[in-house]
Amino acid sequence: MIRDKDFYKTIFAIAIPIALQNLITFSVSLADTVMLSRAGATDELVSAADLANRFIFLLIMALIGLTGGGMALASQYWGKGDIAAIRKITAMILHMGFAISFFTGIILLAFPESVMGIFTKDAVIIERGAEYLSIVGWSCFLFGISFLLMNMLRSVEVVRFALFADITALCISVFLNWVLIFGNLGFPALGIRGAATSTLIARTVGFLIICVYVFVFDKKMKFRLKNIFVFDFPLFKDILKYGLPVLANQMAWATGVTVQAIIIGRIDYSVGDFVAANAAVSVIFQMFMVAMFGAGSAALIIIGKTIGAGEFAIAKEKAATLFKLAAIMGTFSCVTILLTRGAILKIF
């Protein structure tokens, strides 16, 4: 274990904001599920929102995987002080990420019933989920860009602003959920459509905040609109080399979780709503996992920057220390879930 206190200060300075940012990004969808659990006499709204958000969850995991390779490469150039290369990597990550987000948005908007039909055969849940997706689907076009920009800012150790943007989006989402789901402040009670509308507005605001910061105020990466259209083939090959294994890793886990939801959603139970129960359990579990993915991103930045500076022996020492810290974090998460599961489920 490294004994240098500055090393641990760096870890906390980077890891905590990133983990919180990932957590808050996911919590925008979580807010819909929790508040909808209190909006109806039955659990159909919770089940519909949870199953609808499974497709959004796949998109988030794809974007995390995509930026993993970009950040691994960009953090090394950050260690070398080569900002021009980081801008090129960011541009190409945006190209691929927007393509994935655009494709996802088109599917959700054009075939919402078919998407819901993958997860359940309950006609009511399919109808409610389709209502949700027909609104939330529009957010995919903006969310992909803002999410990728925030992640690439991490590679140059800009983490606090992205956290601020996500906290703002979450506060807007929770407030508008209260207004639109339940019909407060004179607004009609829109139920699941209100939850979808609040999510769309929150993500749009988050997109505007991060774009203004990146294209106007950021002084580290200095990424501007003209840089979006840059393409560098040698760097692109490196992105694929480092990025595809990371993307495959994230999507393998996310697909496993999604298939589990599909199986549960298509089984007939004589008593209880197991889709709603799984929604409550899975969102909590995924919150812990997404937070740990954020900590993993921080480790990636620290190791990448050290490698970029040519300090390979130190990089190995840091990696060994981070590996042990990861084991501690996993154990802590496991124990926390087991000890608090009763209290957590009461939220729903």
Side-chain angles (χ1 to χ4, degrees):
M1 294 287 286
I2 292 176
R3 301 188 182 279
D4 181 9
K5 292 182 179 179
D6 289 336
F7 171 69
Y8 294 99
K9 289 180 181 178
T10 301
I11 291 176
F12 285 109
I14 298 176
I16 291 178
I18 291 178
L20 286 174
Q21 184 203 340
N22 274 11
L23 198 61
I24 291 168
T25 297
F26 183 74
S27 295
V28 173
S29 297
L30 171 64
D32 291 350
T33 304
V34 172
M35 298 184 81
L36 284 172
S37 71
R38 301 174 178 275
T42 65
D43 291 322
E44 65 182 35
L45 296 182
V46 178
S47 300
D50 174 69
L51 294 179
N53 274 314
R54 296 288 176 167
F55 216 79
I56 304 296
F57 174 69
L58 284 175
L59 171 62
I60 292 175
M61 295 309 299
L63 295 175
I64 290 175
L66 180 62
T67 54
M71 288 169 59
L73 201 58
S75 61
Q76 294 180 46
Y77 283 105
W78 177 238
K80 296 177 182 178
D82 189 346
I83 305 300
I86 296 175
R87 288 196 290 267
K88 292 177 182 178
I89 294 168
T90 301
M92 290 182 283
I93 290 293
L94 284 175
H95 299 163
M96 293 184 283
F98 180 74
I100 295 172
S101 301
F102 184 82
F103 180 69
T104 302
I106 291 297
I107 290 177
L108 296 184
L109 292 173
F111 311 105
E113 291 87 0
S114 299
V115 170
M116 290 299 302
I118 296 173
F119 295 97
T120 181
K121 52 187 178 181
D122 187 305
V124 175
I125 293 178
I126 290 175
E127 181 182 355
R128 296 290 180 268
E131 291 177 12
Y132 185 88
L133 289 176
S134 64
I135 297 173
V136 167
W138 291 103
S139 70
C140 293
F141 305 125
L142 304 179
F143 174 71
I145 296 174
S146 59
F147 186 84
L148 292 171
L149 284 174
M150 284 191 290
N151 275 273
M152 292 310 296
L153 280 175
R154 295 174 177 178
S155 62
V156 294
E157 299 181 67
V158 176
V159 293
R160 293 183 181 179
F161 180 81
L163 178 60
F164 162 76
D166 271 350
I167 290 175
T168 302
L170 178 62
C171 291
I172 291 173
S173 178
V174 171
F175 173 73
L176 291 180
N177 271 341
W178 177 74
V179 171
L180 299 177
I181 291 176
F182 303 105
N184 290 307
L185 301 181
F187 284 82
L190 300 178
I192 198 166
R193 295 182 67 86
T197 302
S198 67
T199 298
L200 174 59
I201 294 173
R203 286 181 173 158
T204 301
V205 172
F207 167 80
L208 294 174
I209 291 173
I210 197 68
C211 284
V212 169
Y213 177 81
V214 169
F215 294 122
V216 179
F217 296 106
D218 174 53
K219 303 300 181 184
K220 281 193 173 182
M221 189 163 60
K222 299 179 181 178
F223 190 81
R224 300 296 179 258
L225 285 172
K226 63 181 181 181
N227 301 124
I228 290 179
F229 306 101
V230 173
F231 186 87
D232 186 297
F233 189 69
L235 276 176
F236 181 70
K237 290 196 297 183
D238 283 342
I239 291 173
L240 294 181
K241 177 182 177 181
Y242 294 109
L244 288 180
V246 179
L247 178 61
N249 174 57
Q250 302 283 40
M251 293 311 296
W253 176 73
T255 301
V257 173
T258 304
V259 169
Q260 182 189 53
I262 292 172
I263 293 171
I264 291 175
R266 300 187 71 82
I267 295 176
D268 292 323
Y269 295 96
S270 57
V271 179
D273 189 336
F274 279 74
V275 174
N278 186 55
V281 171
S282 63
V283 292
I284 299 302
F285 178 72
Q286 289 170 17
M287 282 182 69
F288 278 90
M289 292 299 296
V290 168
M292 285 192 280
F293 285 145
S297 296
L300 184 153
I301 293 167
I302 292 168
I303 299 299
K305 183 180 179 182
T306 308
I307 291 173
E311 300 171 341
F312 299 105
I314 296 176
K316 288 183 179 181
E317 190 178 0
K318 288 181 177 179
T321 299
L322 288 165
F323 181 81
K324 294 169 185 174
L325 291 176
I328 294 171
M329 184 177 182
T331 303
F332 173 78
S333 298
C334 173
V335 172
T336 302
I337 290 175
L338 292 175
L339 292 179
T340 62
R341 63 188 186 278
I344 290 174
L345 291 175
K346 287 181 180 178
I347 298 173
F348 296 87

